[in-house]
Amino acid sequence: MSLVLDGLTYTYPSSQAGVRDVSFEIRPGELLAVIGPSGCGKTTILKLVAGFLRPDGGRILVDGVDASDTPARARGMGVVFQSYALFPHMSALQNVAYPLRIRGVAASERRTRALEALGLVGLAREAERRPAQLSGGQQQRVALARALVFRPRALLLDEPLSALDAARRVETRDEILRVQKAAGIATLHITHDQEEALSMADRVAVMGEGRLLQVGTPREIYERPASRAVASFVGHANLIPGTVRDAGSIDTPFGLLAASSAGRAPGSAVTLLVRPERVALGPAPDGLNTVQGAVVRDRYLGSLRRLDLEAGGHRLTVETAQAGEVSTVHLPPSAIQVLAAEA
């Protein structure tokens, strides 16, 4: 099953908040994660796809059929909420079987299919336990089994890992991905966690102020962001103001840097993107793009250090696993991406 959003638009009553002209496709078996700052429209998209909200404009196509006006219950979407929304008085088995019960499936078949779904998420042995007897990660997997048990047309995940601690979150996201791929189901994953999105998704959609900014693979989004807004939101980024000198050099607070102008005319204002891990320690062998400065902040993060180096009235963030003093770094031309300057 494929899921297509075509020019999807919605504005909340008495408000300017919502989403405008959002278009993307989720292919069969694909997991697409939607990320963006708070209030950007992530959850609104999920509510529109699920049928909890009706769009003001645009279409939601399920296998090529317009489902924009189809009631939520008739859309056949499996939804895993942030809170899991499990019935506390029911066992895991009863919770998972509930969607089949309200669809009129016979009791014997309900039990068989619910046990199969619990087995898929590795919880068959906990079938008779109630939510209070399960860990947070186990409760999340029960919610996932419940969303899959009626063989939905698509799976919608609404920040399902946000309530878990860091260690449990990594373990559970791997479990979700395993189950999703085993089910081969088109999945829309709403999350505020960039690492979660980049590690799980086949593709990532970045939202900003209700609009779609970019859709691409995790590598494309991180390494080739389409705009300053995407670059600044996804991961850590050095965003350096500059002015094109010529086709191969740009004036910056750190001096003249060798970098492709990407076809922009001399005098054009630009922003240079350099990821902190791409900043190299020490001077360049050929002297190009070497920056000297003073460390004003040094954070130890276990597997790496994150340093702020001040030079030319501007700060440059550097990530390295090396110990020792740092006063000189260089910016390899291949590590520099030139973006349009934005207000």
Side-chain angles (χ1 to χ4, degrees):
M1 188 225 74
S2 65
L3 181 65
V4 175
L5 279 60
D6 179 22
L8 201 61
T9 297
Y10 178 82
T11 302
Y12 288 97
S14 304
S15 170
Q16 295 301 310
V19 296
R20 291 172 290 282
D21 195 26
V22 174
S23 298
F24 58 73
E25 177 184 7
I26 306 177
R27 302 157 188 155
E30 180 182 39
L31 189 151
L32 186 142
V34 180
I35 61 175
S38 297
C40 71
K42 301 187 298 293
T43 300
T44 300
I45 288 175
L46 182 140
K47 290 178 178 178
L48 288 164
V49 173
F52 304 147
L53 296 174
R54 182 175 178 178
D56 298 329
R59 301 181 300 165
I60 300 166
L61 303 175
V62 181
D63 271 346
V65 178
D66 191 347
S68 305
D69 294 325
T70 304
R73 181 174 176 180
R75 291 195 187 186
M77 303 289 178
V79 185
V80 178
F81 296 101
Q82 183 175 347
S83 63
Y84 313 147
L86 300 178
F87 296 111
H89 63 286
M90 292 185 181
S91 67
L93 181 65
Q94 291 169 327
N95 267 284
V96 173
Y98 186 77
L100 301 177
R101 176 182 169 186
I102 63 175
R103 286 168 172 80
V105 176
S108 59
E109 184 179 351
R110 290 203 306 264
R111 179 177 178 83
T112 298
R113 288 172 58 178
L115 284 171
E116 288 175 353
L118 284 169
L120 184 64
V121 299
L123 289 177
R125 293 184 178 180
E126 282 73 31
E128 299 305 326
R129 293 189 178 186
R130 293 187 178 184
Q133 298 171 304
L134 300 172
S135 68
Q138 288 173 326
Q139 290 179 39
Q140 191 279 335
R141 284 188 280 160
V142 171
L144 180 61
R146 183 181 59 186
L148 291 170
V149 72
F150 63 95
R151 296 159 190 163
R153 304 172 77 184
L155 181 62
L156 311 179
L157 306 176
D158 183 18
E159 303 206 27
L161 306 180
S162 60
L164 303 179
D165 60 63
R168 184 68 66 184
R169 191 178 300 130
V170 172
E171 176 185 327
T172 307
R173 77 186 184 201
D174 291 343
E175 184 69 14
I176 288 177
L177 190 58
R178 180 190 68 78
V179 172
Q180 185 265 336
K181 293 305 180 187
I185 187 170
T187 300
L188 175 65
H189 183 187
I190 305 300
T191 179
H192 67 278
D193 189 318
Q194 298 173 32
E195 181 181 331
E196 182 180 304
L198 295 175
S199 66
M200 291 180 67
D202 297 295
R203 289 187 301 143
V204 177
V206 184
M207 295 288 295
E209 297 183 345
R211 295 191 180 276
L212 181 63
L213 302 180
Q214 186 176 358
V215 180
T217 66
R219 185 175 295 276
E220 289 168 347
I221 293 293
Y222 184 79
E223 296 186 1
R224 305 300 298 177
S227 65
R228 179 187 177 115
V230 175
S232 62
F233 181 77
V234 180
H236 295 280
N238 290 298
L239 297 169
I240 307 165
T243 303
V244 174
R245 169 85 63 91
D246 54 42
S249 58
I250 297 175
D251 286 307
T252 76
F254 302 129
L256 189 65
L257 297 181
S260 170
S261 68
R264 291 175 173 82
S268 299
V270 294
T271 297
L272 306 187
L273 165 65
V274 182
R275 296 293 184 184
E277 70 274 12
R278 299 293 303 279
V279 179
L281 299 189
D286 54 10
L288 284 176
N289 298 357
T290 294
V291 178
Q292 289 186 313
V295 173
V296 294
R297 193 174 183 189
D298 187 347
R299 287 147 289 183
Y300 174 72
L301 302 177
S303 60
L304 57 83
R305 297 162 67 198
R306 184 173 297 132
L307 313 168
D308 287 340
L309 190 74
E310 190 167 285
H314 196 84
R315 288 194 180 186
L316 187 68
T317 300
V318 182
E319 290 182 353
T320 178
Q322 298 183 32
E325 294 186 5
V326 175
S327 60
T328 304
V329 299
H330 67 277
L331 310 179
S334 62
I336 301 174
Q337 181 182 349
V338 178
L339 304 171
E342 299 177 14

Short mmCIF file of all heavy atoms in Angstrom, two decimals, residues 277-335:
data_model
loop_
_atom_site.label_atom_id
_atom_site.label_comp_id
_atom_site.label_asym_id
_atom_site.label_seq_id
_atom_site.Cartn_x
_atom_site.Cartn_y
_atom_site.Cartn_z
N GLU A 277 32.14 17.72 12.77
CA GLU A 277 33.04 16.57 12.63
C GLU A 277 33.89 16.65 11.37
O GLU A 277 34.86 15.89 11.22
CB GLU A 277 32.23 15.27 12.64
CG GLU A 277 31.36 15.02 11.42
CD GLU A 277 30.00 15.66 11.50
OE1 GLU A 277 29.78 16.50 12.41
OE2 GLU A 277 29.15 15.32 10.64
N ARG A 278 33.56 17.57 10.44
CA ARG A 278 34.35 17.72 9.21
C ARG A 278 35.47 18.75 9.37
O ARG A 278 36.30 18.89 8.47
CB ARG A 278 33.44 18.14 8.05
CG ARG A 278 32.32 17.16 7.70
CD ARG A 278 32.86 15.85 7.13
NE ARG A 278 33.68 16.04 5.95
CZ ARG A 278 33.22 16.21 4.71
NH1 ARG A 278 31.92 16.26 4.48
NH2 ARG A 278 34.07 16.33 3.70
N VAL A 279 35.49 19.47 10.49
CA VAL A 279 36.58 20.40 10.76
C VAL A 279 37.82 19.59 11.16
O VAL A 279 37.76 18.75 12.05
CB VAL A 279 36.21 21.39 11.88
CG1 VAL A 279 37.38 22.34 12.15
CG2 VAL A 279 34.96 22.18 11.50
N ALA A 280 38.92 19.83 10.48
CA ALA A 280 40.15 19.05 10.72
C ALA A 280 41.09 19.81 11.66
O ALA A 280 41.23 21.03 11.57
CB ALA A 280 40.85 18.77 9.39
N LEU A 281 41.72 19.07 12.56
CA LEU A 281 42.65 19.68 13.50
C LEU A 281 43.97 20.00 12.81
O LEU A 281 44.44 19.28 11.92
CB LEU A 281 42.91 18.75 14.68
CG LEU A 281 41.69 18.36 15.55
CD1 LEU A 281 42.16 17.62 16.80
CD2 LEU A 281 40.86 19.58 15.93
N GLY A 282 44.60 21.11 13.26
CA GLY A 282 45.89 21.49 12.73
C GLY A 282 45.77 22.27 11.43
O GLY A 282 44.71 22.35 10.82
N PRO A 283 46.90 22.84 10.98
CA PRO A 283 46.88 23.59 9.73
C PRO A 283 46.79 22.65 8.53
O PRO A 283 47.20 21.49 8.60
CB PRO A 283 48.21 24.33 9.74
CG PRO A 283 49.10 23.46 10.58
CD PRO A 283 48.22 22.85 11.62
N ALA A 284 46.22 23.13 7.44
CA ALA A 284 46.17 22.34 6.21
C ALA A 284 47.57 22.23 5.62
O ALA A 284 48.36 23.18 5.72
CB ALA A 284 45.23 23.00 5.21
N PRO A 285 47.93 21.09 5.03
CA PRO A 285 49.26 20.94 4.43
C PRO A 285 49.60 22.03 3.42
O PRO A 285 50.75 22.46 3.32
CB PRO A 285 49.18 19.56 3.76
CG PRO A 285 48.13 18.83 4.53
CD PRO A 285 47.13 19.87 4.92
N ASP A 286 48.58 22.47 2.67
CA ASP A 286 48.81 23.52 1.67
C ASP A 286 48.48 24.91 2.19
O ASP A 286 48.55 25.90 1.45
CB ASP A 286 48.00 23.25 0.40
CG ASP A 286 46.51 23.07 0.70
OD1 ASP A 286 46.10 23.34 1.84
OD2 ASP A 286 45.76 22.66 -0.21
N GLY A 287 48.11 24.99 3.49
CA GLY A 287 47.81 26.27 4.11
C GLY A 287 46.42 26.80 3.83
O GLY A 287 46.02 27.81 4.41
N LEU A 288 45.65 26.12 2.97
CA LEU A 288 44.32 26.60 2.62
C LEU A 288 43.35 26.48 3.80
O LEU A 288 43.36 25.49 4.52
CB LEU A 288 43.75 25.82 1.44
CG LEU A 288 44.29 26.15 0.04
CD1 LEU A 288 43.67 25.21 -0.99
CD2 LEU A 288 43.98 27.60 -0.32
N ASN A 289 42.52 27.49 3.95
CA ASN A 289 41.38 27.46 4.89
C ASN A 289 41.80 27.15 6.32
O ASN A 289 41.07 26.52 7.08
CB ASN A 289 40.34 26.43 4.43
CG ASN A 289 39.74 26.78 3.08
OD1 ASN A 289 40.05 27.80 2.50
ND2 ASN A 289 38.88 25.91 2.59
N THR A 290 42.99 27.60 6.69
CA THR A 290 43.47 27.40 8.06
C THR A 290 42.94 28.52 8.96
O THR A 290 42.94 29.69 8.57
CB THR A 290 45.00 27.37 8.09
OG1 THR A 290 45.46 26.21 7.38
CG2 THR A 290 45.53 27.29 9.52
N VAL A 291 42.45 28.13 10.14
CA VAL A 291 41.87 29.08 11.08
C VAL A 291 42.57 28.94 12.42
O VAL A 291 42.69 27.82 12.95
CB VAL A 291 40.35 28.82 11.26
CG1 VAL A 291 39.77 29.78 12.29
CG2 VAL A 291 39.62 28.96 9.93
N GLN A 292 43.03 30.07 12.96
CA GLN A 292 43.63 30.08 14.30
C GLN A 292 42.70 30.82 15.24
O GLN A 292 42.13 31.86 14.88
CB GLN A 292 45.00 30.76 14.27
CG GLN A 292 46.08 29.94 13.57
CD GLN A 292 47.44 30.58 13.71
OE1 GLN A 292 47.59 31.78 13.50
NE2 GLN A 292 48.44 29.78 14.06
N GLY A 293 42.56 30.28 16.44
CA GLY A 293 41.68 30.93 17.40
C GLY A 293 41.91 30.43 18.80
O GLY A 293 42.89 29.73 19.08
N ALA A 294 40.99 30.78 19.69
CA ALA A 294 41.09 30.39 21.10
C ALA A 294 39.86 29.59 21.48
O ALA A 294 38.73 29.94 21.12
CB ALA A 294 41.20 31.63 21.98
N VAL A 295 40.08 28.49 22.21
CA VAL A 295 38.97 27.65 22.67
C VAL A 295 38.25 28.38 23.80
O VAL A 295 38.86 28.73 24.82
CB VAL A 295 39.48 26.28 23.14
CG1 VAL A 295 38.34 25.48 23.76
CG2 VAL A 295 40.08 25.50 21.97
N VAL A 296 36.97 28.60 23.63
CA VAL A 296 36.17 29.28 24.66
C VAL A 296 35.24 28.31 25.37
O VAL A 296 34.66 28.65 26.40
CB VAL A 296 35.36 30.45 24.05
CG1 VAL A 296 36.29 31.54 23.56
CG2 VAL A 296 34.45 29.97 22.93
N ARG A 297 35.11 27.10 24.82
CA ARG A 297 34.31 26.08 25.49
C ARG A 297 34.78 24.71 25.04
O ARG A 297 35.01 24.49 23.84
CB ARG A 297 32.83 26.25 25.18
CG ARG A 297 31.91 25.43 26.08
CD ARG A 297 30.45 25.74 25.82
NE ARG A 297 29.58 25.00 26.72
CZ ARG A 297 28.27 24.95 26.62
NH1 ARG A 297 27.66 25.61 25.62
NH2 ARG A 297 27.53 24.26 27.47
N ASP A 298 34.92 23.80 26.00
CA ASP A 298 35.40 22.45 25.71
C ASP A 298 34.52 21.47 26.48
O ASP A 298 34.55 21.43 27.71
CB ASP A 298 36.86 22.32 26.14
CG ASP A 298 37.50 20.99 25.72
OD1 ASP A 298 36.75 20.06 25.32
OD2 ASP A 298 38.73 20.88 25.80
N ARG A 299 33.69 20.70 25.74
CA ARG A 299 32.76 19.77 26.39
C ARG A 299 33.18 18.34 26.13
O ARG A 299 33.36 17.94 24.96
CB ARG A 299 31.34 19.99 25.86
CG ARG A 299 30.68 21.26 26.35
CD ARG A 299 29.76 21.85 25.32
NE ARG A 299 30.52 22.41 24.19
CZ ARG A 299 29.98 23.04 23.16
NH1 ARG A 299 28.68 23.17 23.09
NH2 ARG A 299 30.73 23.53 22.20
N TYR A 300 33.33 17.57 27.20
CA TYR A 300 33.66 16.15 27.09
C TYR A 300 32.36 15.36 27.01
O TYR A 300 31.52 15.42 27.90
CB TYR A 300 34.48 15.70 28.31
CG TYR A 300 34.74 14.21 28.34
CD1 TYR A 300 35.64 13.63 27.44
CD2 TYR A 300 34.09 13.39 29.25
CE1 TYR A 300 35.89 12.26 27.46
CE2 TYR A 300 34.33 12.03 29.28
CZ TYR A 300 35.22 11.47 28.38
OH TYR A 300 35.47 10.12 28.40
N LEU A 301 32.18 14.60 25.91
CA LEU A 301 30.93 13.87 25.70
C LEU A 301 31.14 12.36 25.62
O LEU A 301 30.32 11.64 25.06
CB LEU A 301 30.28 14.37 24.40
CG LEU A 301 29.97 15.87 24.36
CD1 LEU A 301 29.40 16.27 23.01
CD2 LEU A 301 29.00 16.26 25.48
N GLY A 302 32.23 11.90 26.20
CA GLY A 302 32.49 10.46 26.20
C GLY A 302 33.28 10.04 24.98
O GLY A 302 34.52 9.96 25.02
N SER A 303 32.60 9.76 23.89
CA SER A 303 33.29 9.28 22.68
C SER A 303 33.92 10.42 21.89
O SER A 303 34.71 10.18 20.97
CB SER A 303 32.32 8.51 21.78
OG SER A 303 31.25 9.35 21.38
N LEU A 304 33.58 11.67 22.24
CA LEU A 304 34.16 12.81 21.52
C LEU A 304 34.15 14.05 22.39
O LEU A 304 33.54 14.09 23.46
CB LEU A 304 33.39 13.07 20.21
CG LEU A 304 31.88 13.33 20.28
CD1 LEU A 304 31.58 14.80 20.63
CD2 LEU A 304 31.23 13.01 18.94
N ARG A 305 34.89 15.06 21.93
CA ARG A 305 34.87 16.39 22.54
C ARG A 305 34.19 17.34 21.56
O ARG A 305 34.34 17.21 20.34
CB ARG A 305 36.28 16.90 22.79
CG ARG A 305 37.11 16.11 23.74
CD ARG A 305 38.59 16.48 23.55
NE ARG A 305 38.91 17.84 23.95
CZ ARG A 305 40.02 18.48 23.56
NH1 ARG A 305 40.89 17.89 22.75
NH2 ARG A 305 40.25 19.71 23.95
N ARG A 306 33.47 18.30 22.09
CA ARG A 306 32.90 19.35 21.26
C ARG A 306 33.47 20.68 21.74
O ARG A 306 33.24 21.10 22.87
CB ARG A 306 31.37 19.34 21.33
CG ARG A 306 30.71 20.36 20.39
CD ARG A 306 29.19 20.22 20.36
NE ARG A 306 28.82 18.92 19.82
CZ ARG A 306 27.93 18.11 20.38
NH1 ARG A 306 27.34 18.47 21.52
NH2 ARG A 306 27.63 16.95 19.83
N LEU A 307 34.23 21.31 20.88
CA LEU A 307 34.92 22.55 21.20
C LEU A 307 34.31 23.72 20.46
O LEU A 307 33.89 23.59 19.30
CB LEU A 307 36.40 22.46 20.80
CG LEU A 307 37.19 21.20 21.20
CD1 LEU A 307 38.51 21.17 20.48
CD2 LEU A 307 37.39 21.19 22.70
N ASP A 308 34.30 24.88 21.11
CA ASP A 308 33.97 26.14 20.44
C ASP A 308 35.25 26.95 20.34
O ASP A 308 35.86 27.30 21.35
CB ASP A 308 32.91 26.91 21.22
CG ASP A 308 31.54 26.28 21.10
OD1 ASP A 308 31.32 25.51 20.15
OD2 ASP A 308 30.68 26.56 21.96
N LEU A 309 35.64 27.23 19.11
CA LEU A 309 36.86 27.99 18.82
C LEU A 309 36.44 29.37 18.33
O LEU A 309 35.65 29.47 17.39
CB LEU A 309 37.68 27.25 17.76
CG LEU A 309 39.10 27.74 17.48
CD1 LEU A 309 40.02 27.33 18.63
CD2 LEU A 309 39.60 27.14 16.17
N GLU A 310 36.95 30.42 18.96
CA GLU A 310 36.60 31.77 18.55
C GLU A 310 37.72 32.37 17.73
O GLU A 310 38.89 32.38 18.13
CB GLU A 310 36.30 32.65 19.76
CG GLU A 310 35.70 34.00 19.38
CD GLU A 310 35.12 34.72 20.58
OE1 GLU A 310 34.04 34.33 21.06
OE2 GLU A 310 35.79 35.67 21.04
N ALA A 311 37.34 32.89 16.55
CA ALA A 311 38.31 33.52 15.66
C ALA A 311 37.57 34.52 14.79
O ALA A 311 36.48 34.23 14.30
CB ALA A 311 39.02 32.49 14.79
N GLY A 312 38.16 35.67 14.59
CA GLY A 312 37.54 36.68 13.73
C GLY A 312 36.18 37.13 14.19
O GLY A 312 35.35 37.52 13.36
N GLY A 313 35.95 37.08 15.49
CA GLY A 313 34.65 37.50 16.01
C GLY A 313 33.53 36.51 15.74
O GLY A 313 32.35 36.83 15.90
N HIS A 314 33.88 35.28 15.35
CA HIS A 314 32.89 34.26 15.04
C HIS A 314 33.33 32.96 15.69
O HIS A 314 34.52 32.71 15.85
CB HIS A 314 32.78 34.09 13.52
CG HIS A 314 31.55 33.36 13.08
ND1 HIS A 314 30.34 33.99 12.89
CD2 HIS A 314 31.34 32.06 12.79
CE1 HIS A 314 29.45 33.11 12.49
NE2 HIS A 314 30.02 31.93 12.43
N ARG A 315 32.36 32.12 16.06
CA ARG A 315 32.69 30.84 16.71
C ARG A 315 32.58 29.69 15.72
O ARG A 315 31.68 29.67 14.89
CB ARG A 315 31.77 30.59 17.90
CG ARG A 315 32.09 31.49 19.08
CD ARG A 315 31.42 31.03 20.36
NE ARG A 315 31.76 31.91 21.46
CZ ARG A 315 31.42 31.70 22.73
NH1 ARG A 315 30.72 30.60 23.04
NH2 ARG A 315 31.77 32.55 23.67
N LEU A 316 33.50 28.76 15.88
CA LEU A 316 33.53 27.56 15.04
C LEU A 316 33.47 26.36 15.97
O LEU A 316 34.32 26.22 16.86
CB LEU A 316 34.83 27.54 14.22
CG LEU A 316 34.97 26.45 13.16
CD1 LEU A 316 34.00 26.70 12.02
CD2 LEU A 316 36.40 26.43 12.63
N THR A 317 32.48 25.50 15.79
CA THR A 317 32.35 24.30 16.62
C THR A 317 33.10 23.15 15.97
O THR A 317 32.98 22.91 14.76
CB THR A 317 30.87 23.92 16.81
OG1 THR A 317 30.19 25.01 17.45
CG2 THR A 317 30.73 22.68 17.67
N VAL A 318 33.87 22.44 16.79
CA VAL A 318 34.72 21.35 16.32
C VAL A 318 34.40 20.10 17.14
O VAL A 318 34.29 20.18 18.36
CB VAL A 318 36.21 21.70 16.49
CG1 VAL A 318 37.09 20.58 15.94
CG2 VAL A 318 36.54 23.04 15.83
N GLU A 319 34.25 18.96 16.48
CA GLU A 319 34.08 17.70 17.18
C GLU A 319 35.26 16.79 16.86
O GLU A 319 35.62 16.62 15.68
CB GLU A 319 32.77 17.02 16.79
CG GLU A 319 31.54 17.74 17.32
CD GLU A 319 30.24 17.04 16.97
OE1 GLU A 319 30.29 16.05 16.21
OE2 GLU A 319 29.18 17.47 17.46
N THR A 320 35.87 16.23 17.89
CA THR A 320 37.03 15.38 17.71
C THR A 320 37.13 14.36 18.83
O THR A 320 36.64 14.61 19.94
CB THR A 320 38.32 16.21 17.66
OG1 THR A 320 39.46 15.35 17.53
CG2 THR A 320 38.49 17.05 18.94
N ALA A 321 37.76 13.24 18.56
CA ALA A 321 38.03 12.24 19.59
C ALA A 321 39.41 12.44 20.19
O ALA A 321 39.78 11.76 21.15
CB ALA A 321 37.91 10.84 19.00
N GLN A 322 40.20 13.36 19.63
CA GLN A 322 41.56 13.57 20.09
C GLN A 322 41.61 14.44 21.34
O GLN A 322 40.82 15.37 21.50
CB GLN A 322 42.40 14.22 18.98
CG GLN A 322 42.52 13.36 17.72
CD GLN A 322 43.41 14.00 16.68
OE1 GLN A 322 44.36 14.70 17.01
NE2 GLN A 322 43.11 13.76 15.42
N ALA A 323 42.57 14.13 22.21
CA ALA A 323 42.80 14.94 23.39
C ALA A 323 43.87 15.98 23.08
O ALA A 323 44.46 15.98 22.00
CB ALA A 323 43.25 14.04 24.55
N GLY A 324 44.10 16.86 24.03
CA GLY A 324 45.16 17.84 23.86
C GLY A 324 44.62 19.21 23.48
O GLY A 324 43.43 19.40 23.23
N GLU A 325 45.54 20.18 23.42
CA GLU A 325 45.17 21.55 23.12
C GLU A 325 44.84 21.71 21.64
O GLU A 325 45.41 21.05 20.78
CB GLU A 325 46.30 22.51 23.51
CG GLU A 325 46.56 22.57 25.02
CD GLU A 325 47.59 23.64 25.37
OE1 GLU A 325 48.01 24.39 24.45
OE2 GLU A 325 47.96 23.72 26.54
N VAL A 326 43.91 22.61 21.40
CA VAL A 326 43.52 22.92 20.02
C VAL A 326 43.56 24.43 19.85
O VAL A 326 42.92 25.15 20.61
CB VAL A 326 42.10 22.40 19.71
CG1 VAL A 326 41.66 22.83 18.31
CG2 VAL A 326 42.02 20.89 19.85
N SER A 327 44.30 24.89 18.88
CA SER A 327 44.33 26.32 18.59
C SER A 327 44.27 26.60 17.09
O SER A 327 43.95 27.72 16.69
CB SER A 327 45.60 26.97 19.16
OG SER A 327 46.76 26.38 18.59
N THR A 328 44.56 25.57 16.29
CA THR A 328 44.56 25.74 14.83
C THR A 328 43.78 24.59 14.20
O THR A 328 43.99 23.43 14.54
CB THR A 328 45.99 25.75 14.27
OG1 THR A 328 46.74 26.78 14.92
CG2 THR A 328 45.98 26.02 12.77
N VAL A 329 42.89 24.93 13.29
CA VAL A 329 42.11 23.93 12.55
C VAL A 329 42.07 24.36 11.09
O VAL A 329 42.48 25.47 10.74
CB VAL A 329 40.67 23.80 13.10
CG1 VAL A 329 40.69 23.35 14.56
CG2 VAL A 329 39.91 25.11 12.95
N HIS A 330 41.57 23.49 10.24
CA HIS A 330 41.33 23.90 8.86
C HIS A 330 40.04 23.30 8.33
O HIS A 330 39.56 22.28 8.84
CB HIS A 330 42.52 23.57 7.95
CG HIS A 330 42.77 22.12 7.74
ND1 HIS A 330 43.49 21.33 8.62
CD2 HIS A 330 42.41 21.29 6.72
CE1 HIS A 330 43.56 20.10 8.17
NE2 HIS A 330 42.91 20.04 7.02
N LEU A 331 39.47 23.97 7.35
CA LEU A 331 38.19 23.59 6.77
C LEU A 331 38.44 23.06 5.36
O LEU A 331 38.61 23.84 4.42
CB LEU A 331 37.25 24.80 6.71
CG LEU A 331 37.09 25.61 8.00
CD1 LEU A 331 36.15 26.78 7.78
CD2 LEU A 331 36.61 24.73 9.13
N PRO A 332 38.50 21.73 5.20
CA PRO A 332 38.74 21.19 3.86
C PRO A 332 37.67 21.70 2.87
O PRO A 332 36.47 21.72 3.21
CB PRO A 332 38.61 19.67 4.07
CG PRO A 332 38.88 19.47 5.53
CD PRO A 332 38.33 20.68 6.21
N PRO A 333 38.06 22.11 1.68
CA PRO A 333 37.06 22.59 0.71
C PRO A 333 35.94 21.60 0.47
O PRO A 333 34.78 22.00 0.27
CB PRO A 333 37.90 22.83 -0.56
CG PRO A 333 39.27 23.17 -0.03
CD PRO A 333 39.44 22.29 1.18
N SER A 334 36.25 20.30 0.54
CA SER A 334 35.22 19.29 0.31
C SER A 334 34.20 19.24 1.44
O SER A 334 33.12 18.66 1.28
CB SER A 334 35.86 17.91 0.15
OG SER A 334 36.56 17.54 1.33
N ALA A 335 34.55 19.83 2.60
CA ALA A 335 33.65 19.82 3.75
C ALA A 335 32.72 21.03 3.76
O ALA A 335 31.85 21.13 4.63
CB ALA A 335 34.46 19.79 5.04
#
